[in-house]
Amino acid sequence: MLAAQYYVQQGYRVVVDVDLSKFFDRVNHDILIDRLRKRVNDTEFVRLVLTYLNAGIMDGGVVIEREEGTPQGGPLSPLLANVLLDEVDRMLERQGHHFARYADDCNVSVLLAMRLFIDRD
């Protein structure tokens, strides 16, 4: 069962949709590679990812160098986003939040507490 479906069945019917603005454009390569090295003990793989991150962008036949961000649309970018945002997941878990995240998109499910106010006049 998907996490989002499970949370709805548990009564968490209000969903806050979080989308990190321009996330893939702003990924810091140094931070990402540092976190990747902590998780993957394969220097060749890390070197290959760094080469991927530093690949230039072709715009009108001219290569523009990239110093931050990740190429978008490929299968590797969401994986790298998950590595980078893993600490955010752990923080949300420590605070007891129920959420489902993929890459830079996250849905946080919450219970809605309602109070009924009765006019006594």
Side-chain angles (χ1 to χ4, degrees), residues 86-97 99:
D86 187 60
E87 289 182 30
V88 173
D89 294 350
R90 301 304 143 242
M91 186 260 321
L92 288 170
E93 288 172 350
R94 282 192 303 274
Q95 293 181 2
H97 293 292
F99 65 95

Short mmCIF file of all heavy atoms in Angstrom, two decimals, residues 86-97 99:
data_model
loop_
_atom_site.label_atom_id
_atom_site.label_comp_id
_atom_site.label_asym_id
_atom_site.label_seq_id
_atom_site.Cartn_x
_atom_site.Cartn_y
_atom_site.Cartn_z
N ASP A 86 17.52 13.35 2.22
CA ASP A 86 17.33 12.31 3.23
C ASP A 86 17.30 12.90 4.64
O ASP A 86 16.50 12.48 5.48
CB ASP A 86 18.42 11.25 3.11
CG ASP A 86 18.16 10.08 4.03
OD1 ASP A 86 17.11 9.43 3.88
OD2 ASP A 86 19.01 9.84 4.92
N GLU A 87 18.13 13.89 4.90
CA GLU A 87 18.14 14.52 6.23
C GLU A 87 16.82 15.23 6.53
O GLU A 87 16.38 15.28 7.67
CB GLU A 87 19.31 15.49 6.34
CG GLU A 87 20.65 14.80 6.43
CD GLU A 87 21.80 15.78 6.59
OE1 GLU A 87 21.60 16.86 7.18
OE2 GLU A 87 22.90 15.45 6.13
N VAL A 88 16.19 15.79 5.51
CA VAL A 88 14.88 16.42 5.68
C VAL A 88 13.86 15.36 6.10
O VAL A 88 13.05 15.58 7.00
CB VAL A 88 14.43 17.15 4.39
CG1 VAL A 88 13.00 17.66 4.53
CG2 VAL A 88 15.38 18.27 4.05
N ASP A 89 13.92 14.19 5.44
CA ASP A 89 13.03 13.09 5.81
C ASP A 89 13.20 12.70 7.27
O ASP A 89 12.22 12.51 8.00
CB ASP A 89 13.30 11.87 4.94
CG ASP A 89 12.96 12.08 3.48
OD1 ASP A 89 12.34 13.11 3.15
OD2 ASP A 89 13.34 11.22 2.66
N ARG A 90 14.45 12.57 7.70
CA ARG A 90 14.73 12.16 9.09
C ARG A 90 14.19 13.20 10.07
O ARG A 90 13.66 12.86 11.13
CB ARG A 90 16.22 11.95 9.33
CG ARG A 90 16.90 10.92 8.48
CD ARG A 90 16.27 9.52 8.55
NE ARG A 90 16.33 8.94 7.22
CZ ARG A 90 15.29 8.58 6.49
NH1 ARG A 90 14.08 8.69 6.96
NH2 ARG A 90 15.43 8.07 5.28
N MET A 91 14.33 14.49 9.73
CA MET A 91 13.83 15.55 10.59
C MET A 91 12.31 15.49 10.69
O MET A 91 11.74 15.60 11.77
CB MET A 91 14.28 16.92 10.06
CG MET A 91 13.93 18.09 10.95
SD MET A 91 12.46 19.07 10.49
CE MET A 91 12.51 19.18 8.75
N LEU A 92 11.63 15.29 9.55
CA LEU A 92 10.17 15.17 9.56
C LEU A 92 9.74 13.97 10.39
O LEU A 92 8.76 14.04 11.15
CB LEU A 92 9.64 15.06 8.14
CG LEU A 92 9.69 16.33 7.29
CD1 LEU A 92 9.37 16.01 5.83
CD2 LEU A 92 8.76 17.39 7.82
N GLU A 93 10.45 12.86 10.27
CA GLU A 93 10.13 11.66 11.05
C GLU A 93 10.31 11.91 12.55
O GLU A 93 9.47 11.52 13.36
CB GLU A 93 11.00 10.49 10.61
CG GLU A 93 10.63 9.94 9.27
CD GLU A 93 11.62 8.91 8.75
OE1 GLU A 93 12.72 8.74 9.35
OE2 GLU A 93 11.31 8.29 7.72
N ARG A 94 11.43 12.58 12.92
CA ARG A 94 11.67 12.87 14.35
C ARG A 94 10.56 13.73 14.94
O ARG A 94 10.23 13.60 16.11
CB ARG A 94 13.02 13.57 14.53
CG ARG A 94 14.22 12.65 14.47
CD ARG A 94 15.49 13.33 14.94
NE ARG A 94 15.82 14.54 14.21
CZ ARG A 94 16.51 14.59 13.07
NH1 ARG A 94 16.97 13.49 12.52
NH2 ARG A 94 16.77 15.75 12.50
N GLN A 95 9.98 14.60 14.12
CA GLN A 95 8.92 15.48 14.60
C GLN A 95 7.55 14.81 14.52
O GLN A 95 6.54 15.41 14.86
CB GLN A 95 8.92 16.79 13.82
CG GLN A 95 10.16 17.61 14.09
CD GLN A 95 10.16 18.93 13.34
OE1 GLN A 95 9.22 19.27 12.63
NE2 GLN A 95 11.23 19.68 13.51
N GLY A 96 7.51 13.56 14.07
CA GLY A 96 6.27 12.80 14.05
C GLY A 96 5.36 13.07 12.87
O GLY A 96 4.19 12.71 12.91
N HIS A 97 5.87 13.70 11.83
CA HIS A 97 5.05 13.99 10.66
C HIS A 97 4.88 12.74 9.79
O HIS A 97 5.74 11.88 9.75
CB HIS A 97 5.67 15.11 9.82
CG HIS A 97 5.68 16.43 10.53
ND1 HIS A 97 4.53 17.13 10.81
CD2 HIS A 97 6.70 17.16 11.03
CE1 HIS A 97 4.85 18.24 11.44
NE2 HIS A 97 6.16 18.28 11.59
N PHE A 99 4.45 11.66 5.94
CA PHE A 99 4.72 12.28 4.65
C PHE A 99 5.12 11.25 3.62
O PHE A 99 5.50 10.12 3.94
CB PHE A 99 5.83 13.34 4.78
CG PHE A 99 7.16 12.74 5.16
CD1 PHE A 99 8.10 12.42 4.19
CD2 PHE A 99 7.47 12.49 6.49
CE1 PHE A 99 9.31 11.85 4.54
CE2 PHE A 99 8.68 11.91 6.85
CZ PHE A 99 9.61 11.61 5.87
#
